Amino acid sequence: QVQLAESGGGLVQAGDSLKLSCAADTMTFSSYTLAWFRQAPGKQRAFVAAISWDSGKSSYADSVKGRFTISRVNAENAVLLQMNSLNPEDTAVYYCAVRFPGHELPSSSSDYTYWGQGTQVTVSS
């Protein structure tokens, strides 16, 4: 069992930046693929970004490519999501997720085993 806790969400204006963090309580954190998903009201949970166990590979949804950056700090059991140039369409609850093994970067939520509770990001126009 892996416990994940997201933080850093909030209310910002269009064009602003925000950084999300997700902390994990596992001793094998460095073995996992880590990802961020988001769910807007009335919509299905959607892939945002993923990063491999060694940070050697990353993947992004087309809608956030060039604006969002995923990174991880294995020594701190943390995965980060830097979000720049936010727009109202980015409003959603953001979730971090983990899967093992840590070299694949699937974009389907069903491929991830553990999830955090989510953090709300609201972007006003």
Side-chain angles (χ1 to χ4, degrees):
Q1 187 74 17
V2 177
Q3 300 289 333
L4 302 168
E6 302 94 338
S7 62
L11 173 63
V12 296
Q13 293 186 332
D16 285 351
S17 298
L18 205 58
K19 178 180 273 189
L20 304 182
S21 299
C22 176
D25 71 341
T26 174
M27 296 296 290
T28 57
F29 181 83
S30 61
S31 302
Y32 293 100
T33 285
L34 301 169
W36 287 94
F37 286 76
R38 66 187 182 185
Q39 188 165 16
K43 295 187 178 181
Q44 291 189 333
R45 193 167 296 188
F47 173 75
V48 175
I51 189 167
S52 62
W53 70 276
D54 61 350
S55 302
K57 296 188 296 184
S58 60
S59 175
Y60 295 90
D62 288 341
S63 59
V64 306
K65 203 171 292 184
R67 299 188 298 124
F68 291 11
T69 303
I70 189 172
S71 60
R72 64 190 294 165
V73 185
N74 286 343
E76 298 178 2
N77 282 12
V79 57
L80 310 174
L81 185 68
Q82 177 66 47
M83 305 184 294
N84 298 329
S85 302
L86 286 162
N87 59 62
E89 289 70 40
D90 296 315
T91 295
V93 177
Y94 283 71
Y95 299 89
C96 64
V98 301
R99 66 166 271 121
F100 183 83
H103 57 274
E104 298 172 337
L105 303 179
S107 59
S108 172
S109 60
S110 61
D111 288 316
Y112 291 82
T113 307
Y114 301 109
W115 294 82
Q117 294 299 307
T119 185
Q120 176 71 46
V121 172
T122 303
V123 185
S124 63
S125 58

